[in-house]
């Protein structure tokens, strides 16, 4: 009986060409596994294509809610943003995909998992660290790094290879952006983006929305509620997280929210440029942060900011299944106990404008913050505080002056 390999299958040209390649070079039984993280119509026609290409079976696994609840929300609660701009859309999805690939491999008794990530990108690291952490016994096959037997270097090569194996597919030689899409975002790389001096061709590129210039001239008010850091309703309608993100994508895309052009530092050491569309995610993170401003004390917010940066690095580097991620997430979860309340804002031409925030656990005291003297605050107390708080500065200045006189 042939050994089985589980292929992370997107239905694109790369992973389609990999099916006959695996059979030819390894004599594997190929089981395709497409993980649905909210790719939309990209999944249409996959089963026929996989079977036509030589796969014995295709799994289409809907993990949208697991992705949202167990991977996206911990990052939202942490405020995890890589290099101040990237909201980790691809990074967050890779560990849950790796987890499901391992589960299918166990179910099928497969001895290997194959992925189509290139040898220059971050995804190879994310997939393989996830697989190693969950199934260290499984073999990992990465065709794009196996240059001795993977000789295809272009779309033309892959199309010709498929034709040679009796597979005629609806792909052509046209060039387009390299994209990755899920419920949280869509990324764009390639074409003019490979030259940082060139402006992105947004009219040709954007999928989820429009530019701020093309957005409506009227603002739109949105209201969200949170319980313990998790969104529970949108505009008065109770929804699960995945539904809220989907609706926010529509609203954000309409108003030109969440378009980011970034040159980022990849794990493998090179810089790469990409444009990310994250309309719903940008709104959700801003709303969550808006509520935290009311609820979290200063010291906790300071440490949480550091933990958010650490969480972003952990996720970006593919280290989800590690004790460090669990520890950082445990800290973040503890900070969310009182992040409950309602957030209101307006969407207008790429901007998210505050329109009022309330929480039963708000630490804001109008009597303290106003210019009117209240019972809790005596202005005279500030004199002693400033004396002690500024004592190191005063002593240093005195000592420097003393040293200069000698």
């Amino acid at each position: 009986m042939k050994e089985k390999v589980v292929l992370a299958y997107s239905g694109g040209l790369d992973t389609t060409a990999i099916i006959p390649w695996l059979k030819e070079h390894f004599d594997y039984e190929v089981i395709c596994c497409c993980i649905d993280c909210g790719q939309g119509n990209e999944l249409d026609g996959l089963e026929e294509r996989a079977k036509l290409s030589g796969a014995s079976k295709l799994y289409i696994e809907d993990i949208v809610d697991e992705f949202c609840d167990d991977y996206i929300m911990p990052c939202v609660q942490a405020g995890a943003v890589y290099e101040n701009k990237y909201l980790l859309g691809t990074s967050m999805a890779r560990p849950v995909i790796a987890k499901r690939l391992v589960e299918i491999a166990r179910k099928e008794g497969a001895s290997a998992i194959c992925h189509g990530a290139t040898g220059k990108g971050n995804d190879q690291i994310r997939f393989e660290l996830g697989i190693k952490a969950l199934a260290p016994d499984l073999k990992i096959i990465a065709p794009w790094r196996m240059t001795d037997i993977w000789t295809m270097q272009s779309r033309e090569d892959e199309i010709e290879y498929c034709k040679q194996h009796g597979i005629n597919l609806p792909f052509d030689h046209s060039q387009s952006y390299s994209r990755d899409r899920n419920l949280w975002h869509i990324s764009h790389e390639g074409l003019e983006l490979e030259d940082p001096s060139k402006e992105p061709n947004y009219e040709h590129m954007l999928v989820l929305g429009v530019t701020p210039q093309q957005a409506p001239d009227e603002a739109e008010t949105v209201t969200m509620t949170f319980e313990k850091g998790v969104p529970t309703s949108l505009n008065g309608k109770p929804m699960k997280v995945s539904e809220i993100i989907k609706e926010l994508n529509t609203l954000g895309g309409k108003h030109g929210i969440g378009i980011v052009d970034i040159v980022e530092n990849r794990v493998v050491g090179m810089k790469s440029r990409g444009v990310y569309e994250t309309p719903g995610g940008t709104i959700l993170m801003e709303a969550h942060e808006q509520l935290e401003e009311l609820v979290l004390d200063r010291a906790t917010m300071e440490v949480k900011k550091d933990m958010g940066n650490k969480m972003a690095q952990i996720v970006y580097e593919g280290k989800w299944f590690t004790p460090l991620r669990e520890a950082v997430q445990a800290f973040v979860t503890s900070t969310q106990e009182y992040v409950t309340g309602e957030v209101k804002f307006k969407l207008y031409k790429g901007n998210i404008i505050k329109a009022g925030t309330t929480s039963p656990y708000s630490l804001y005291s109008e009597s303290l913050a106003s210019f009117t003297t209240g019972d809790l605050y005596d202005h005279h107390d500030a004199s002693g505080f400033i004396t002690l708080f500024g004592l190191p500065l005063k002593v240093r200045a005195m000592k420097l002056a003393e040293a200069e006189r000698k």
Side-chain angles (χ1 to χ4, degrees):
M1 190 168 63
K2 290 184 178 181
E3 288 189 73
K4 297 179 180 180
V5 60
V6 171
L7 170 64
Y9 185 64
S10 68
L13 182 56
D14 288 349
T15 54
T16 298
I18 286 173
I19 296 173
W21 181 86
L22 284 169
K23 297 178 70 175
E24 178 181 356
H25 291 280
F26 296 92
D27 196 30
Y28 277 129
E29 177 186 345
V30 181
I31 298 165
C32 288
C33 187
C34 177
I35 312 297
D36 181 6
C37 297
Q39 293 94 305
N41 58 12
E42 291 182 11
L43 305 181
D44 295 347
L46 285 195
E47 185 165 6
E48 181 182 357
R49 190 177 304 164
K51 297 286 182 66
L52 180 65
S53 305
S56 64
K57 189 182 296 187
L58 170 68
Y59 285 87
I60 297 181
E61 299 288 295
D62 183 345
I63 59 167
V64 171
D65 285 328
E66 181 182 2
F67 175 43
C68 292
D69 297 340
D70 299 339
Y71 294 81
I72 289 178
M73 282 315 303
C75 292
V76 171
Q77 291 177 330
V81 180
Y82 183 70
E83 295 187 338
N84 299 313
K85 288 186 177 180
Y86 173 40
L87 302 189
L88 301 171
T90 299
S91 310
M92 293 186 296
R94 294 325 188 208
V96 68
I97 291 173
K99 176 173 174 284
R100 188 54 59 94
L101 290 173
V102 167
E103 291 169 355
I104 297 300
R106 294 303 193 206
K107 178 180 178 180
E108 288 287 342
S111 58
I113 292 176
C114 177
H115 66 78
T118 72
K120 284 186 175 182
N122 294 315
D123 281 344
Q124 57 182 339
I125 300 169
R126 296 164 183 155
F127 283 134
E128 295 185 32
L129 291 192
I131 295 166
K132 289 177 186 294
L134 300 173
D137 57 302
L138 291 181
K139 183 179 180 181
I140 300 172
I141 300 174
W144 281 98
R145 299 205 304 261
M146 304 172 74
T147 53
D148 52 335
I149 54 176
W150 178 268
T151 56
M152 293 170 275
Q153 298 297 317
S154 65
R155 290 179 64 87
E156 291 84 355
D157 290 345
E158 291 175 319
I159 292 170
E160 183 59 32
Y161 180 80
C162 288
K163 286 182 179 179
Q164 290 173 3
H165 289 76
I167 306 167
N168 292 303
L169 295 167
F171 298 114
D172 58 34
H173 299 75
S174 65
Q175 294 294 312
S176 63
Y177 297 101
S178 174
R179 291 183 166 111
D180 178 77
R181 182 176 183 176
N182 57 47
L183 188 66
W184 186 249
H185 88 154
I186 185 168
S187 63
H188 312 268
E189 294 180 347
L191 300 187
E192 78 276 1
L193 298 181
E194 293 185 348
D195 183 350
S197 71
K198 293 184 177 179
E199 180 181 3
N201 184 359
Y202 287 120
E203 288 191 10
H204 177 61
M205 176 194 307
L206 297 180
V207 173
L208 300 182
V210 299
T211 62
Q213 296 93 323
Q214 297 171 316
D217 293 329
E218 297 294 326
E220 185 167 358
T221 300
V222 179
T223 302
M224 293 178 65
T225 59
F226 288 81
E227 291 182 13
K228 296 188 175 182
V230 177
T232 55
S233 75
L234 183 63
N235 290 332
K237 182 180 178 181
M239 297 182 183
K240 58 184 180 179
V241 175
S242 60
E243 294 170 336
I244 288 174
I245 294 173
K246 185 175 182 179
E247 182 64 23
L248 287 176
N249 276 334
T250 300
L251 292 170
K254 172 184 174 183
H255 291 279
I257 306 293
I259 302 169
V260 172
D261 179 357
I262 180 176
V263 176
E264 69 191 64
N265 291 292
R266 286 183 178 174
V267 181
V268 293
M270 70 182 71
K271 288 184 180 290
S272 67
R273 186 196 187 191
V275 168
Y276 297 101
E277 293 181 72
T278 320
T282 301
I283 297 170
L284 179 53
M285 294 196 78
E286 175 66 25
H288 179 266
E289 183 178 312
Q290 193 170 319
L291 185 56
E292 282 192 328
E293 288 179 359
L294 275 188
V295 172
L296 297 186
D297 63 275
R298 178 186 177 190
T300 300
M301 288 188 71
E302 287 178 356
V303 176
K304 186 174 177 293
K305 184 176 181 180
D306 292 337
M307 290 297 100
N309 289 334
K310 177 57 67 176
M311 185 74 163
Q313 181 183 3
I314 290 168
V315 176
Y316 189 83
E317 294 179 353
K319 297 177 180 177
W320 186 275
F321 300 107
T322 61
L324 179 57
R325 193 274 305 167
E326 292 174 0
V328 171
Q329 187 173 329
F331 167 81
V332 171
T333 299
S334 73
T335 68
Q336 300 301 293
E337 180 68 23
Y338 301 108
V339 184
T340 295
E342 182 179 270
V343 180
K344 186 182 294 185
F345 46 87
K346 294 180 179 179
L347 306 179
Y348 180 68
K349 291 191 175 295
N351 296 291
I352 304 170
I353 305 166
K354 286 184 179 182
T357 311
T358 60
S359 170
Y361 304 108
S362 172
L363 299 182
Y364 181 88
S365 170
E366 186 175 352
S367 63
L368 275 173
S370 71
F371 288 100
T372 304
T373 302
D375 295 335
L376 290 176
Y377 195 91
D378 187 332
H379 287 276
H380 296 94
D381 293 340
S383 298
F385 168 76
I386 295 171
T387 297
L388 295 179
F389 197 63
L391 187 59
L393 300 177
K394 183 175 181 179
V395 170
R396 180 176 183 274
M398 292 170 61
K399 289 294 184 181
L400 286 173
E402 183 180 324
E404 289 176 0
R405 289 195 297 268
K406 291 182 179 179

